[in-house]
Amino acid sequence: MKLNSTQLSQVDAQIKRLIQTDSYYGKIYKEAGIEGVSSQEEFEKLPFSSKEDLRNAYPLGIQAVPDEEVVRIHSSSGTTGKPVIIPYTAKDVDDWATMFARCYETAGITNKDRIQITPGYGLWTAGIGFQAGCEKLGAMAVPMGPGNTDKQIQMMIDLKTTVLTATSSYALLLAEEINRRGIRDQIHLKKGVIGSERWSEKMRDYISRELGIELYDIYGLTEIYGPGIGISCEKNDGMHYWDDYIYIEIIDPKTLQPVPDGEEGEIVITTLVKEGAPLLRFRTHDISRIIPGECPCGRKHPRLDIIKGRSDDMFKVHGVNMFPSQVEEILGMVDGVSSEYNINIAHDESINRDIILVTAEAEGRVDFEKTAQTIKGLFKSRMSVTPKVTVVPVGTLPRSEKKTKRVIDHREE
Ligand code: ZN
């Protein structure tokens, strides 16, 4: 999807403003001799921005407005090294709430709803984003934050909460608890708005069925406002995103070239009107695709497919993108198979094909031969590749304290 003329002039204006400042990206563009963009080609030559940049700019190097215009900061959780700090102006905060309110509306939520907010409040963008969007919409916020399941359920019952906002894992926990207590008839929930981490169909069905609610996937990341830049609609076929605030391109994470609509790759986001910390061509490392064509719901906003995984984990065999999470899902379906596995991929010159070898562990009570055939069949039907499968006894594969490298790609050596 190309930039339209409005988006192009918004990007151009941001660059012109950035190079007037002493900010991190202002300096980068100045040094690179970038003065603006007037075409798609020029835009696609702009350098990418990354989380690494934001760490280098810690704490406030990225700030692109005077101090008196900044009303708030947020920070991403940063599991390793320095966190990332994003400054917001009053307009940024308001724009974010407007986008978020639009998300709620897309999910059919109105100012008559009561929205129980279970994501965390504080430095990160979760809870406060759900809250600001709720207030903008005019609905009633029940600002719980995470945890304290007894209190959550009590408020849910007493206040007749109609909307649950949560991570998929917390929604699952609540669904299980409500099921266990047999209090489903006291719950008034109609809809759930769930953070767009990758979650299985099985989990989605369980939550939806146990709570008797429709589920919507919401997308966003701290670097680009926070959650609320896109959400799935009632057709549940991808997430509409707000192209008057952000421009999305999908790139091949290896070649870094944009791919055509419909093709899978890494989501790269450009903010169009952000003031405090504009980001151009920010690499999210999330994998998805733009869904071509109009949504059957009739909304004009373009669509992103549900997030499939992280580019850092992705591997490609016979032109098919695969993620460890998909492998885990397959192995989880087979009786007696443990969660330990590894995958070796190599290129066989003699037949000019990539060979994929899956090694999985199984309990001694099952037939290893049959188990291997089952795994092979699942790979074929669900991922369109036919691996060779070896099943070994539980405890055979190496364990380590650190995150084990499960996919060993010999093709790049
Ligand atoms: Zn739609």
Side-chain angles (χ1 to χ4, degrees):
M1 191 163 293
K2 307 262 183 243
L3 289 152
N4 63 35
S5 59
T6 310
Q7 291 171 326
L8 192 61
S9 63
Q10 284 168 328
V11 175
D12 184 58
Q14 280 189 97
I15 294 174
K16 291 196 160 69
R17 189 169 69 77
L18 278 168
I19 53 181
Q20 300 299 317
T21 69
D22 223 13
S23 69
Y24 185 86
Y25 286 112
K27 284 185 204 149
I28 284 184
Y29 298 142
K30 227 180 295 176
E31 274 163 27
I34 296 165
E35 288 166 356
V37 287
S38 57
S39 67
Q40 186 75 25
E41 292 65 40
E42 280 179 22
F43 174 80
E44 287 175 8
K45 284 190 191 129
L46 290 175
F48 291 104
S49 50
S50 67
K51 198 149 182 160
E52 190 54 34
D53 288 343
L54 301 180
R55 289 210 178 94
N56 292 337
Y58 181 86
L60 282 168
I62 191 183
Q63 186 180 313
V65 292
D67 276 355
E68 59 269 30
E69 290 180 29
V70 174
V71 300
R72 186 200 286 176
I73 61 111
H74 281 292
S75 174
S76 74
S77 38
T79 45
T80 51
K82 274 186 260 176
V84 160
I85 307 274
I86 306 289
Y88 294 65
T89 66
K91 179 176 183 292
D92 293 336
V93 166
D94 191 59
D95 284 351
W96 181 22
T98 301
M99 281 188 275
F100 215 124
R102 201 189 279 170
C103 285
Y104 283 136
E105 281 167 350
T106 304
I109 297 164
T110 72
N111 58 8
K112 293 204 175 71
D113 278 296
R114 296 174 177 187
I115 306 180
Q116 188 148 335
I117 298 162
T118 74
Y121 287 76
L123 269 178
W124 52 322
T125 48
I128 201 162
F130 282 95
Q131 169 97 22
C134 172
E135 289 175 1
K136 185 71 124 186
L137 179 71
M140 183 204 287
V142 184
M144 300 296 295
N148 202 346
T149 302
D150 281 337
K151 188 98 181 243
Q152 297 278 5
I153 292 176
Q154 188 199 332
M155 294 298 248
M156 207 175 269
I157 293 171
D158 295 347
L159 285 166
K160 299 187 169 61
T161 310
T162 55
V163 178
L164 172 68
T165 68
T167 61
S168 55
S169 43
Y170 196 58
L172 178 68
L173 187 148
L174 283 171
E176 284 171 341
E177 195 54 31
I178 287 162
N179 178 25
R180 197 180 64 77
R181 296 185 190 187
I183 48 172
R184 173 59 207 287
D185 57 338
Q186 297 172 55
I187 300 293
H188 297 80
L189 291 177
K190 292 197 205 85
K191 291 166 198 279
V193 178
I194 309 295
S196 71
E197 53 191 5
R198 204 188 159 282
W199 50 322
S200 67
E201 258 333 283
K202 210 168 148 188
M203 189 164 166
R204 168 183 279 275
D205 290 347
Y206 179 85
I207 296 169
S208 171
R209 193 178 58 243
E210 282 309 318
L211 295 177
I213 58 177
E214 288 166 20
L215 295 171
Y216 296 85
D217 291 274
I218 195 159
Y219 183 58
L221 50 159
T222 299
E223 293 82 359
I224 312 285
Y225 297 99
I229 60 176
I231 193 167
S232 57
C233 66
E234 69 277 9
K235 299 294 177 193
N236 198 18
D237 184 15
M239 302 179 287
H240 291 278
Y241 63 88
W242 315 131
D243 58 346
D244 42 350
Y245 292 91
I246 54 164
Y247 170 72
I248 289 185
E249 52 188 325
I250 305 291
I251 63 161
D252 179 324
K254 288 251 159 64
T255 67
L256 306 183
Q257 294 304 308
V259 302
D261 288 354
E263 245 173 64
E264 217 166 66
E266 179 180 334
I267 302 174
V268 171
I269 306 182
T270 295
T271 64
L272 296 172
V273 291
K274 210 156 181 254
E275 296 179 337
L279 283 174
L280 306 182
R281 308 197 82 200
F282 183 75
R283 293 190 60 182
T284 66
H285 295 277
D286 287 333
I287 298 290
S288 184
R289 64 187 188 109
I290 286 177
I291 301 178
E294 222 169 86
C295 183
C297 78
R299 290 181 186 87
K300 301 289 179 221
H301 292 287
R303 285 174 299 159
L304 260 184
D305 209 340
I306 297 301
I307 309 303
K308 203 161 173 192
R310 303 274 305 162
S311 61
D312 322 273
D313 299 335
M314 186 173 86
F315 57 104
K316 202 169 185 172
V317 185
H318 305 151
V320 181
N321 293 333
M322 293 193 259
F323 299 92
S325 54
Q326 290 173 300
V327 176
E328 282 149 30
E329 199 168 298
I330 286 177
L331 296 178
M333 294 162 75
V334 185
D335 178 44
V337 170
S338 89
S339 58
E340 291 295 324
Y341 69 94
N342 66 44
I343 292 181
N344 280 272
I345 309 163
H347 188 74
D348 186 333
E349 282 297 340
S350 66
I351 51 169
N352 194 27
R353 269 182 83 78
D354 289 338
I355 304 292
I356 170 165
L357 171 68
V358 177
T359 310
E361 287 185 345
E363 295 166 16
R365 65 180 171 82
V366 302
D367 183 321
F368 282 16
E369 195 70 29
K370 275 191 199 144
T371 303
Q373 285 306 320
T374 309
I375 294 171
K376 195 171 174 173
L378 284 167
F379 267 86
K380 198 172 177 186
S381 63
R382 295 174 69 100
M383 310 230 282
S384 313
V385 296
T386 310
K388 297 182 187 299
V389 181
T390 306
V391 174
V392 296
V394 172
T396 308
L397 294 174
R399 265 73 170 166
S400 85
E401 289 291 308
K402 279 180 265 161
K403 201 179 161 195
T404 321
K405 190 170 167 57
R406 297 178 189 281
V407 181
I408 306 129
D409 195 338
H410 304 277
R411 295 171 301 183
E412 288 158 2
E413 287 159 11

